[in-house]
Amino acid sequence: MILSMANYTAINYLLYLLSKRDYSEQDLRRKLVQKEYNQEEIEQAIERAQANNWQSDERYCASFIRYRSQQGIGPRRLKQELKLKGIKDWLISQELDNAETDWFILAEQIFEKKRPLVWDIKAKQKMWRFMLSRGFYNDHFSHLMDIDYNDAEYE
């Protein structure tokens, strides 16, 4: 039996959402507005959720960074995605610094997985664009571009 969401209060709906997964404060606000709760009810629900530690942008940010970095996403793209979710710059920087991810090793793993067999100028350009689109900074992978992968040792 599916319960109707129409008779839920804002706090009940918020708890329902948070029981499924973590959300940023901005995401919760957007979802509550979509359900047409009034502004006062939204504020009370979010304040209560944060006071009881049911919702925390710090926790959300840390778990988002952990999850997306396991998917091979670099720090530059993580910053951009978290900003879109309403996370403050100082919090993003703090959580990226606290992340137990070695961005150089992650970049190397992604690079090796995607690197083409024929290593020419076109392949280098394609890899450069790919690594930037994944959100890595130049210094995370530029040293890998200088290796001659056509040499017998890398085949």
Side-chain angles (χ1 to χ4, degrees):
M1 182 174 125
I2 298 175
L3 293 175
S4 169
M5 292 303 226
N7 56 5
Y8 270 38
T9 62
I11 189 68
N12 287 343
Y13 182 60
L14 186 136
L15 288 173
Y16 167 76
L17 292 171
L18 290 172
S19 71
K20 304 289 183 204
R21 69 174 181 91
D22 256 345
Y23 286 89
S24 69
E25 179 182 338
Q26 178 179 296
D27 285 345
L28 286 174
R29 283 183 190 283
R30 185 178 41 78
K31 287 189 169 288
L32 290 169
V33 166
Q34 280 178 342
K35 288 290 181 182
E36 299 179 354
Y37 290 105
N38 67 48
Q39 199 58 42
E40 185 180 322
E41 209 176 354
I42 292 171
E43 289 301 322
Q44 289 174 351
I46 288 179
E47 281 178 26
R48 185 167 171 204
Q50 289 175 338
N52 288 305
N53 203 25
W54 299 331
Q55 191 281 326
S56 163
D57 277 351
E58 289 87 356
R59 186 176 58 236
Y60 174 79
C61 186
S63 67
F64 186 87
I65 289 170
R66 192 172 40 257
Y67 174 70
R68 293 291 280 154
S69 65
Q70 289 171 353
Q71 294 178 323
I73 302 300
R76 176 183 275 164
R77 185 156 156 198
L78 287 171
K79 274 184 190 176
Q80 184 181 24
E81 290 178 3
L82 285 165
K83 278 184 184 181
L84 291 175
K85 296 199 173 280
I87 306 297
K88 298 189 175 32
D89 286 337
W90 67 267
L91 182 55
I92 297 170
S93 296
Q94 173 186 310
E95 293 302 328
L96 281 172
D97 291 343
N98 293 342
E100 296 176 6
T101 303
D102 186 330
W103 301 110
F104 289 93
I105 291 174
L106 181 60
E108 201 167 306
Q109 290 169 345
I110 300 301
F111 188 92
E112 286 303 317
K113 194 185 273 187
K114 189 74 174 177
R115 182 176 55 83
L117 295 175
V118 177
W119 192 243
D120 57 6
I121 188 70
K122 205 169 191 171
K124 285 183 181 185
Q125 291 170 342
K126 187 174 182 178
M127 282 303 296
W128 194 274
R129 285 190 306 271
F130 172 75
M131 294 301 288
L132 289 176
S133 74
R134 276 299 181 100
F136 291 99
Y137 291 102
N138 296 340
D139 44 332
H140 289 146
F141 65 90
S142 60
H143 63 285
L144 300 169
M145 303 299 268
D146 298 331
I147 298 172
D148 183 9
Y149 294 103
N150 295 323
D151 192 12
E153 133 184 20
Y154 289 100
E155 291 179 359

